[in-house]
Amino acid sequence: MLSTLRTARSVRATERRGEVSIMESVTTEIRREVAVEVVTTASLAPSIHNTQPWRWRLADGLLTLRPDVERRLAVLDPDGRQLLVSCGAALLHARLAFRVLGLEPVVELLPGTTGCGALQPVLSDDLVLASMGVTGRVPPTATDRLLFSAAGARHTDRRPFDGHPLDPALVDRMRRAAEAEGAWLMPLAHSDQRLDAAVVAARADWAEQTDPAYRAELAAWRRGQGPTADGVPTGVASTHHPSRASDFPLRDFDPAGVPGAPPSLGGRGTRPEAVERPAVFVIGTDADQAEDRLRAGQALARVLLTVTAAGAAASPMGQPVDSDGYRSVIERMLSIAGHVQMILRVGYPRRDAAASALTPRRPVGEILTVE
């Protein structure tokens, strides 16, 4: 099945590459007020530790996306893979905003690098990750409107799940959402797959929690009470149930208290029925260059908005994909021919769980430059 999906994705990727000669396609200059609306929506995208590592520039009627390299996590994300995934998610939100405004966007990824051998360009503040223009007007579809409405409510939802299986129709929509962006989505449906992935996730989580450099970096992005524009505020990362047990660990955002041993799956004495077993999905790409990571971010954002629009909730399991080593282990254990970019826990929130707060966002004036 995966080979069939890869063939279909290759055809779609070829079609996309043929359509993005952006300067030849653009027919309408992007106005300042439109750019503000688009970037406001783009700022709602998910990002690792809510670092929001993106910058936008409006010049000559085009909107460009660049990385904010000072916000790259040197310990957790040394090569900038998750920075690129985060920026890709912002790009999907921007595209969606254009569509809802009745404008047809055209996007060129990594303009100026094609044919130069820069398949993995060095991240810098001057690197253009994407250039966006407008080819004309087009009415938004019902799906555009639905996903745009979900953008304001979407957040990393760490509430416990109620145990009900996901609607198969939702799973199919998630799969199609990922494929629409040139990625793929694979559910971990078999017990042996789940066990293998859970073991790797638990070991990766323990390795991070016992790394002083990781904990120092995490503490730097943890925010206390009071106004804040980024990072993870106190309360947002709470699991809501201190005794909660899950076969897949949530990231612990409390930098205090180093665990003394790798965690077990649920702990001794935990009743089997009390262990949370969410649906788990892998989002991946066939290759792992900068363009693939940007596409993975767009796929991640479209999948998360699809989940939110359906009344379900999702949270990433970053620990097993933070490290290239653990990513490789996951790929081998699950016999994945491509590259894992993200793993998601998905389910329906329990009714007795308090609603999660939205994470803060940087003001548009900090991330958009108009020339």
Side-chain angles (χ1 to χ4, degrees), residues 21 28 63 146 272 289 298 314 324:
S21 177
T28 304
L63 187 64
L146 181 65
Q289 301 300 329
Q298 293 176 85
D324 284 345

Side-chain angles (χ1 to χ4, degrees), residues 57-357:
R57 180 180 300 170
L58 178 64
D60 301 323
L62 297 178
L63 187 64
T64 55
L65 170 63
R66 291 173 168 81
D68 190 337
V69 295
E70 290 187 358
R71 291 175 170 268
R72 179 178 60 85
L73 302 175
V75 176
L76 195 64
D77 188 30
D79 71 345
R81 183 188 69 85
Q82 298 199 66
L83 181 149
L84 289 174
V85 171
S86 299
C87 287
L91 181 58
L92 184 281
H93 278 233
R95 289 169 47 208
L96 187 61
F98 273 117
R99 294 279 302 180
V100 170
L101 289 171
L103 301 171
E104 181 65 31
V106 60
V107 179
E108 184 176 2
L109 297 181
L110 299 168
T113 62
T114 302
C116 299
L119 295 178
Q120 201 68 281
V122 176
L123 289 178
S124 72
D125 287 334
D126 295 326
L127 175 65
V128 178
L129 299 178
S131 184
M132 304 186 72
V134 172
T135 63
R137 301 196 66 86
V138 62
T141 66
T143 298
D144 293 333
R145 294 187 185 277
L146 181 65
L147 297 184
F148 180 81
S149 297
R154 185 224 59 83
H155 60 287
T156 299
D157 198 327
R158 296 163 59 85
R159 287 178 290 175
F161 299 143
D162 64 10
H164 287 86
L166 288 181
D167 183 347
L170 172 57
V171 175
D172 184 61
R173 291 197 298 273
M174 292 168 59
R175 176 186 57 78
R176 287 187 279 114
E179 292 179 7
E181 301 302 331
W184 45 263
L185 180 140
M186 184 181 81
L188 300 188
H190 302 294
S191 58
D192 55 345
Q193 290 179 323
R194 290 179 63 91
L195 179 59
D196 287 344
V199 169
V200 176
R203 293 292 305 189
D205 181 69
W206 179 79
E208 287 183 347
Q209 292 297 328
T210 53
D211 180 358
Y214 164 81
R215 298 180 71 81
E217 185 174 74
L218 178 64
W221 286 96
R222 182 70 186 266
R223 303 293 185 249
Q225 300 294 340
T228 182
D230 58 12
V232 184
T234 300
V236 168
S238 171
T239 61
H240 297 274
H241 287 259
S243 60
R244 177 179 178 185
S246 175
D247 57 351
F248 285 91
L250 288 162
R251 191 189 295 275
D252 183 2
F253 282 92
D254 183 1
V258 179
S264 61
L265 302 183
R268 180 177 296 181
T270 303
R271 293 180 297 113
E273 64 271 21
V275 177
E276 185 181 342
R277 293 183 171 85
V280 177
F281 297 87
V282 174
I283 294 176
T285 52
D286 292 343
D288 195 28
Q289 301 300 329
E291 180 175 334
D292 303 293
R293 295 171 178 185
L294 288 170
R295 293 197 186 282
Q298 293 176 85
L300 171 65
R302 187 174 286 275
V303 168
L304 291 175
L305 292 176
T306 300
V307 169
T308 301
S315 59
M317 292 197 305
Q319 307 94 314
V321 299
D322 290 339
S323 158
D324 284 345
Y326 282 114
R327 269 210 304 157
S328 297
V329 171
I330 286 281
E331 290 160 2
R332 289 197 303 271
M333 294 181 77
L334 299 181
S335 299
I336 292 174
H339 299 269
V340 173
Q341 300 291 352
M342 183 56 66
I343 303 178
L344 295 176
R345 311 167 78 257
V346 184
Y348 299 108
R350 276 174 38 176
R351 294 180 181 272
D352 64 341
S356 301

Side-chain angles (χ1 to χ4, degrees), residues 14-95:
T14 301
E15 292 171 348
R16 279 194 301 271
R17 284 193 293 270
E19 72 183 15
V20 287
S21 177
I22 190 166
M23 295 307 295
E24 297 176 4
S25 303
V26 169
T27 60
T28 304
E29 287 193 356
I30 299 172
R31 302 191 309 273
R32 179 191 183 105
E33 57 269 27
V34 170
V36 170
E37 291 288 338
V38 167
V39 172
T40 297
T41 301
S43 70
L44 300 176
S47 60
I48 179 69
H49 286 10
N50 194 31
T51 50
Q52 304 169 53
W54 43 66
R55 296 180 302 114
W56 297 87
R57 180 180 300 170
L58 178 64
D60 301 323
L62 297 178
L63 187 64
T64 55
L65 170 63
R66 291 173 168 81
D68 190 337
V69 295
E70 290 187 358
R71 291 175 170 268
R72 179 178 60 85
L73 302 175
V75 176
L76 195 64
D77 188 30
D79 71 345
R81 183 188 69 85
Q82 298 199 66
L83 181 149
L84 289 174
V85 171
S86 299
C87 287
L91 181 58
L92 184 281
H93 278 233
R95 289 169 47 208

